Amino acid sequence: MAPRPLRLNSRRPPPKFVFITLLILIPICVIGIFSHGQKISYLFRPLWDKPPPPFKRFPHYYAENVSMGHLCRLHGWSLRSQPRNVFDAIIFSNELDILEIRWRELYPYVTKFVILESNTTFTGNLKPIFFRSNKARFAFAERKIVHDVFPGQLAARESHDDPFELEAQQRRFMTGLLRRAGISYGDVLIMSDTDEIPSPNTVKLMQWCDGVPPVMHLELRNYMYSFEFPVDYSSWRATTHIYGPHTFYRHSRQTDLIFSDAGWHCSFCFRRIQEFVFKMTAYSHADRVRRRDFLDHSRIQKLICRGDDLFDMLPEEYTFKELIKKMGSIPRSASAVHLPAYLIENADKFGFLLPGGCLRKPE
């Protein structure tokens, strides 16, 4: 008699077990996505987002004691008989230390410093008029300053507190302020945030050379918290313009040309912890503060000295290679070379921006 074939055990988990498992897993997944959705989104960004077209890099030639005529020729330009007027236009929030470094560095080359601030943040909250309250600190540049205050409270109601719309309204207001400041066709206009500082040699080239492209983005060395934590050369939003009838104040991509190694971008480079808290809750990306403990002073201090992200976010990159390369803490640098001269000349005053100065004042 032939043996019976073995019967495989095909028992399935009872429906009750499956139901309990799903009941546990689904809430865990939902909570995980809610808590870490931004991280998950950034982790897979290379799959769902495409990078913008690459910039065409314009080489930047400079060395000390080289004549301006020779530098203009190296760039394919020619030397002017007279320098252009230069207008440096910024929308200001609360970056008083960086503003002082910027204006001291650029003072010899700038005709007018045009500064606009608002009585509200980009998120629509009331804020002090920081520049007006600290005007005495900038008395050295008084004759060059054109300052105005944007009516943020009215704009906030009209824009329904949309931070990006509020920011756009301030930039449109700046276009009119520049005209009132006396800018003329052919003048150089620098459009950048306060913490995006063009180098003096960049400004001198725009001022003294004929043949400069009418619009160029500036590639800036990107730093976080201080010049001790260099990130990369990814800062590109600052621009120089030869002012004309179609020049409007913007902070977005305007051309494919970018001028290499043209200055410094020092983001969240504040003296006091409270200034970090203010910016985290005031700028257009304030939604990144997902929990109240993000604003804890001891937490912020710890992250500054480690070079870690204040918002517990992954890098915003378009390729997995760049994403992996930038994960983790920003490596420290012991170099204080090729930084703004005024910063080095006043190292005692601005030690918090130099290597070894990560400890901040709490108030």
Side-chain angles (χ1 to χ4, degrees), residues 190-192 196-199 202-203 206 216-221 233-240 257-263:
I190 302 167
M191 298 184 193
S192 67
E196 298 167 338
I197 308 174
S199 62
T202 297
V203 177
M206 302 302 113
M216 278 200 302
H217 283 279
L218 303 181
E219 179 190 63
L220 306 179
R221 301 186 187 195
Y233 283 83
S234 66
S235 181
W236 57 267
R237 290 182 179 274
T239 50
T240 58
L257 285 178
I258 190 166
F259 195 51
S260 300
D261 200 2

Side-chain angles (χ1 to χ4, degrees), residues 161-361:
D161 292 334
D162 178 350
F164 292 101
E165 177 55 28
L166 272 171
E167 183 176 350
Q169 287 186 35
Q170 289 192 40
R171 299 194 188 282
R172 289 193 290 269
F173 191 93
M174 174 63 91
T175 298
L177 181 58
L178 281 162
R179 294 175 185 140
R180 299 200 301 275
I183 197 168
S184 301
Y185 294 165
D187 291 343
V188 174
L189 171 60
I190 302 167
M191 298 184 193
S192 67
D193 284 351
T194 306
D195 57 7
E196 298 167 338
I197 308 174
S199 62
N201 45 287
T202 297
V203 177
K204 285 190 287 185
L205 284 167
M206 302 302 113
Q207 189 176 39
W208 277 101
C209 299
D210 260 336
V212 173
V215 183
M216 278 200 302
H217 283 279
L218 303 181
E219 179 190 63
L220 306 179
R221 301 186 187 195
N222 202 17
Y223 298 85
M224 187 66 68
Y225 311 140
S226 74
F227 294 97
E228 184 174 19
F229 294 100
V231 181
D232 53 24
Y233 283 83
S234 66
S235 181
W236 57 267
R237 290 182 179 274
T239 50
T240 58
H241 300 249
I242 305 302
Y243 187 77
H246 303 296
T247 305
F248 301 97
Y249 194 90
R250 294 166 56 190
H251 197 238
S252 54
R253 183 148 175 173
Q254 302 178 57
T255 178
D256 289 337
L257 285 178
I258 190 166
F259 195 51
S260 300
D261 200 2
W264 313 272
H265 181 185
C266 200
S267 187
F268 281 92
C269 290
F270 296 114
R271 183 185 297 271
R272 297 173 179 83
I273 298 293
Q274 186 54 44
E275 294 173 289
F276 284 82
V277 173
F278 178 85
K279 179 169 179 176
M280 290 170 73
T281 57
Y283 80 145
S284 300
H285 298 289
D287 61 320
R288 293 175 177 176
V289 181
R290 301 190 303 278
R291 301 193 310 270
R292 192 67 195 171
D293 66 287
F294 275 27
L295 305 178
D296 179 74
H297 285 208
S298 61
R299 173 188 179 272
I300 292 171
Q301 179 61 83
K302 188 186 300 181
L303 294 175
I304 293 168
C305 285
R306 290 200 315 227
D308 284 337
D309 189 79
L310 291 172
F311 303 99
D312 192 26
M313 288 171 48
L314 292 175
E316 299 179 72
E317 294 298 336
Y318 293 100
T319 67
F320 287 114
K321 180 180 177 181
E322 287 299 313
L323 184 69
I324 293 168
K325 187 167 72 173
K326 291 186 181 178
M327 279 184 175
S329 305
I330 304 166
R332 290 173 182 265
S333 170
S335 172
V337 181
H338 303 305
L339 299 181
Y342 184 75
L343 170 63
I344 301 302
E345 290 166 355
N346 295 272
D348 290 344
K349 182 177 181 179
F350 298 107
F352 68 98
L353 292 176
L354 294 170
C358 73
L359 292 176
R360 297 302 203 268
K361 293 184 177 181

Side-chain angles (χ1 to χ4, degrees), residues 131-170:
F131 177 78
R132 179 183 286 172
S133 304
N134 293 271
K135 205 169 182 180
R137 182 173 178 178
F138 304 95
F140 70 91
E142 184 176 6
R143 68 181 182 86
K144 293 187 177 185
I145 297 172
V146 178
H147 170 254
D148 204 352
V149 176
F150 178 75
Q153 286 176 284
L154 176 62
R157 288 196 295 269
E158 293 176 351
S159 65
H160 306 290
D161 292 334
D162 178 350
F164 292 101
E165 177 55 28
L166 272 171
E167 183 176 350
Q169 287 186 35
Q170 289 192 40

Side-chain angles (χ1 to χ4, degrees), residues 2-10:
R4 290 183 178 180
L6 293 173
R7 297 180 64 183
L8 295 175
N9 189 347
S10 59

